[in-house]
Amino acid sequence: MKSRRGRPALGAVKKPVKKIITRQERKDLKTLADDFGLLYMEEVQEIITGCHSYSEGQQGIMRIYEAVYLR
């Protein structure tokens, strides 16, 4: 297939890959939340189950930690 006007040919566009967090990373996030005493919070549980990467989950847990303990 030939592309026109600089556009990629049909079917040539790759779909983004959905990142999936591993069980070990999820376990590590639970350990982190437990160390901070936040594992019991429903919002933390939602962050752990809904995050797409370890760093995203870690940032969410740290935001809650700051809100609970540092303010």
Side-chain angles (χ1 to χ4, degrees):
M1 286 187 248
K2 189 173 183 182
S3 63
R4 298 181 309 191
R5 300 174 127 204
R7 291 189 221 154
L10 289 175
V13 179
K14 294 182 180 179
K15 294 181 181 177
V17 177
K18 183 178 179 184
K19 283 190 108 180
I20 299 174
I21 189 170
T22 65
R23 286 183 181 162
Q24 183 62 45
E25 290 172 330
R26 201 172 304 281
K27 184 178 177 184
D28 291 343
L29 287 173
K30 285 184 178 183
T31 302
L32 177 68
D34 191 36
D35 289 347
F36 289 140
L38 301 172
L39 189 58
Y40 69 93
M41 296 178 70
E42 186 177 329
E43 187 175 356
V44 172
Q45 293 291 331
E46 290 174 6
I47 288 172
I48 292 171
T49 57
C51 64
H52 297 289
S53 68
Y54 179 84
S55 62
E56 179 185 339
Q58 183 184 30
Q59 289 172 359
I61 291 170
M62 293 309 294
R63 265 187 250 115
I64 293 175
Y65 174 78
E66 289 176 3
V68 171
Y69 291 111
L70 301 179
R71 292 184 185 173

